[in-house]
Amino acid sequence: CKKTGGNPLFVTQFLQSLWDEGLLVFSLEDNAWKWDADASDAKEIFDDVGVLMANKIRQLPIGCQYAIKLLACVGSKCNETILQLFMREEEGLHDELSGKERKSSDDSNDQFMMFDFAVDEGLLQKEGRNYNFAHDQIQHAAYSLIPE
């Protein structure tokens, strides 16, 4: 609680980072959670949840970062159909600028894999055909990463 101030998003992300770094593990032998207290105490945590979330987003694959930023521009929640329109528009612009012929196959499924990756990371939630940010601070962090 001293590191997170009891903020649920902070707590969740701090525990996830401990798990990711191998500082928090579940012992099947003891049937209990174990952690390295010294390393956990020494771990730097940012006072601003936005900075914490922006750093987490920066560690994701580039395609996933792009997908999260796209959703941040649209709003906190968006339907797959709308996202697909934006992705096709961006692909068409990219193809036009690079002089490529537009493929007839639908590459947007690859982009939706990036949205699903963000869901697996706990940054987004998927409800039916809608993607939304798991927390408004995650949306703000994603939006802050977009160059002006």
Side-chain angles (χ1 to χ4, degrees), residues 3 10 13 17 49 52 54 59 64 81 90 93 108 137 147:
K3 287 231 179 239
F10 260 147
Q13 293 304 315
S17 69
V49 71
L52 177 71
Q59 294 173 2
C64 190
T81 305
E90 188 274 334
L93 179 61
S108 65
Q137 290 296 323

Side-chain angles (χ1 to χ4, degrees), residues 78-87 112 115-116 126 128-131:
C78 193
N79 185 281
E80 283 180 348
T81 305
I82 302 298
L83 290 170
Q84 197 167 32
L85 289 173
F86 282 116
M87 289 184 291
F112 281 115
F115 283 105
D116 292 336
K126 186 172 183 189
R129 293 182 49 90
N130 294 317
Y131 287 95

Side-chain angles (χ1 to χ4, degrees), residues 20-124:
D20 290 343
E21 295 174 27
L23 302 175
L24 174 68
V25 294
F26 186 78
S27 168
L28 292 174
E29 184 177 298
D30 297 329
N31 199 29
W33 288 98
K34 299 199 175 219
W35 60 92
D36 181 336
D38 292 334
S40 298
D41 285 342
K43 184 166 175 53
E44 180 183 1
I45 188 163
F46 299 96
D47 292 336
D48 182 359
V49 71
V51 173
L52 177 71
M53 298 314 303
N55 285 340
K56 181 169 182 162
I57 293 168
R58 280 190 199 103
Q59 294 173 2
L60 299 172
I62 296 296
C64 190
Q65 290 180 43
Y66 173 78
I68 290 173
K69 290 175 191 178
L70 175 66
L71 181 57
C73 288
V74 175
S76 63
K77 179 178 185 178
C78 193
N79 185 281
E80 283 180 348
T81 305
I82 302 298
L83 290 170
Q84 197 167 32
L85 289 173
F86 282 116
M87 289 184 291
R88 283 189 183 147
E89 184 69 28
E90 188 274 334
E91 287 170 4
L93 179 61
H94 181 268
D95 291 347
E96 188 176 303
L97 292 173
S98 65
K100 288 184 180 176
E101 283 289 318
R102 185 137 185 191
K103 296 178 189 175
S104 60
S105 66
D106 186 10
D107 291 333
S108 65
N109 287 337
D110 291 340
Q111 192 69 34
F112 281 115
M113 286 176 26
M114 291 294 111
F115 283 105
D116 292 336
F117 184 84
V119 169
D120 292 343
E121 289 294 311
L123 299 169
L124 300 180

